[in-house]
Amino acid sequence: MNIAFGRTSPWPWLRRVFGGFDGPLLAAVAMLAALGLVAMYSAGFDHGTRFADHGRNMLLALGVLFLASQVPPHKLQRLAVPLYLLGIALLVVTALPGLGITKKGATRWLDLGVVIQPSEILKIAMPLMLAWWFQKREGQLRVLDFAIAGLLLLVPVALVVKQPDLGTALLILASGVYVIFFAGLSWKLVVPALLLGALAVAGVILTADRICQEGVNWPLLRDYQQHRVCTLLDPTKDPLGKGFHIIQGMIAIGSGGLAGKGFMKGTQTHLEFIPERTTDFIFAAFSEEFGLAGVLLLLASFTFLIFRGLMIATEAPTVFTRLLAGAVTLSFFTYAFVNMGMVSGILPVVGVPLPFISYGGTAMVSLGLGLGILMSVARSRRLMQS
């Protein structure tokens, strides 16, 4: 007796798993990843295993991107509240005496068998939570709803500031503010806040000589945070101490000129004048070796990534996906702007990495997760249309 065994074609499964990826977004990621590998090889080839580890971290982030892209947005929505509550709980546990790990005066880490930094969870959990909240309030938004969203945002930001970790707190705050703004926050509230911030900055600049004197304490800021702002205003007051990072970064950027000194020929970089040349200040090393031309290519790649992400957000089918995709996209802008700004001497040094370029495993995984979520939103729309 002949028995015929049916053969199931693998193509539908392969199409479901690998289909629908956004080509332009992948192209932007590939370009930035290539620039990151080139920059890390030059800056870190003689820095232990930094280059190999950076490549491994990129592969890990790529794996996270692929896995996250397979999760449909409606399932991401279900994860919003549990992930947010988990992040808050871990931040509270980290703050308890004897439980958090303290390094260089900051208690940011927690040992759960594997050492983790709970604040990294909130970089993704925060926009997820607020996008979920505004999805639930669709069509019936009131001022109270925005107030509750603000409270949901301020709780984790306050816990991270207390660690202290001003850089991560700024990134979490920005991701939440983007969601609230895209949800329809009135310009009548946005403009006064911007004007107040501009007046505060102008006041600090105009009174710098007086408020940066010894013995003057600023409210709400720790001493080291006050020193960072004062150093930004005049790094030459302490050129071998607090101002060393900013001065050397600006020297390296300026010495790159139009075309740069050439691959692996940066003197400021390889004579170790640039501090943290593979992490926070890698932009200075990149600028020295590749000059204005290389910086413009880097900026063009980031700009393309951001514009593509915003296009994905505008085409997203639901309030949740639009808010989430928009906030995740502008988070990449915040990373790049803050890092380049602090290295260039226009923002205080707050320890924010440059996406794809800076060394760091946790930050790279967070980056891959954010891109995976963005790809999930793009894939969901493409697969619905096909």
Side-chain angles (χ1 to χ4, degrees):
M1 181 173 62
N2 294 326
I3 300 176
F5 292 94
R7 293 183 178 180
T8 303
S9 172
W11 294 114
W13 178 84
L14 291 173
R15 181 177 176 274
R16 186 173 67 253
V17 173
F18 293 98
F21 281 90
D22 189 82
L25 183 62
L26 285 177
V29 171
M31 174 59 76
L32 286 166
L35 291 173
L37 288 172
V38 170
M40 186 57 63
Y41 185 83
S42 179
F45 77 98
D46 59 348
H47 205 289
T49 59
R50 281 292 166 96
F51 175 72
D53 291 345
H54 191 61
R56 178 205 62 200
N57 293 339
M58 278 193 175
L59 290 176
L60 181 59
L62 180 63
V64 171
L65 186 159
F66 179 79
L67 292 175
S69 69
Q70 303 300 311
V71 182
H74 68 274
K75 291 186 178 180
L76 289 174
Q77 190 172 343
R78 295 175 193 167
L79 293 173
V81 176
L83 194 61
Y84 175 81
L85 293 177
L86 174 64
I88 295 294
L90 290 176
L91 286 176
V92 171
V93 172
T94 302
L96 295 176
L99 295 181
I101 299 174
T102 302
K103 298 179 183 178
K104 297 181 179 179
T107 307
R108 306 173 185 172
W109 299 271
L110 194 62
D111 189 351
L112 299 176
V114 176
V115 176
I116 64 169
Q117 188 174 347
S119 57
E120 291 290 332
I121 298 174
L122 270 302
K123 291 180 181 179
I124 298 298
M126 192 71 258
L128 272 174
M129 180 65 188
L130 291 182
W132 171 87
W133 169 251
F134 285 113
Q135 173 71 54
K136 293 297 182 184
R137 309 304 299 169
E138 182 182 8
Q140 51 183 346
L141 279 176
R142 303 165 297 170
V143 174
L144 179 61
D145 298 319
F146 285 100
I148 293 173
L151 181 62
L152 291 171
L153 173 60
L154 291 178
V155 170
V157 169
L159 289 171
V160 176
V161 168
K162 188 178 181 299
Q163 291 182 342
D165 188 353
L166 190 59
T168 302
L170 176 64
L171 294 174
I172 296 171
L173 177 65
S175 68
V177 167
Y178 293 142
V179 176
I180 294 173
F181 175 74
F182 287 140
L185 186 66
S186 173
W187 279 102
K188 294 179 181 179
L189 298 175
V190 174
V191 172
L194 293 176
L195 289 175
L196 185 61
L199 289 174
V201 171
V204 170
I205 293 173
L206 293 174
T207 61
D209 291 339
R210 188 163 60 252
I211 63 177
C212 288
Q213 295 293 329
E214 290 290 336
V216 177
N217 295 320
W218 296 6
L220 303 178
L221 291 183
R222 295 171 181 259
D223 288 342
Y224 79 93
Q225 293 168 339
Q226 178 179 338
H227 291 155
R228 283 181 178 179
V229 176
C230 290
T231 299
L232 171 68
L233 296 173
D234 187 4
T236 60
K237 283 187 175 181
D238 189 11
L240 298 179
K242 303 291 184 182
F244 185 79
H245 290 65
I246 295 176
I247 292 172
Q248 296 303 321
M250 290 191 294
I251 291 173
I253 293 172
S255 65
L258 181 61
K261 295 179 178 178
F263 179 57
M264 297 181 68
K265 295 180 180 179
T267 53
Q268 292 292 117
T269 301
H270 298 296
L271 293 177
E272 300 189 3
F273 284 102
I274 300 177
E276 308 296 339
R277 69 179 191 268
T278 61
T279 52
D280 294 344
F281 277 74
I282 196 169
F283 177 66
F286 181 89
S287 301
E288 182 186 23
E289 296 195 347
F290 299 101
L292 180 61
V295 169
L296 289 177
L297 177 61
L298 182 63
L299 289 175
S301 300
F302 274 120
T303 301
F304 182 75
L305 173 69
I306 292 164
F307 270 98
R308 186 59 196 169
L310 291 177
M311 288 182 64
I312 291 172
T314 58
E315 296 170 353
T318 66
V319 170
F320 174 78
T321 51
R322 285 198 298 272
L323 295 180
L324 182 60
V328 168
T329 298
L330 288 187
S331 293
F332 298 139
F333 163 77
T334 305
Y335 270 94
F337 177 76
V338 172
N339 179 275
M340 294 180 185
M342 73 180 191
V343 174
S344 304
I346 62 175
L347 291 175
V349 178
V350 291
V352 172
L354 185 60
F356 300 98
I357 314 298
S358 294
Y359 176 84
T362 305
M364 192 70 75
V365 170
S366 297
L367 178 68
L369 182 57
L371 288 168
I373 290 173
L374 196 58
M375 193 67 73
S376 171
V377 174
R379 290 186 73 237
S380 66
R381 181 176 178 276
R382 286 169 177 264
L383 293 177
M384 285 172 56
Q385 292 176 337
S386 61

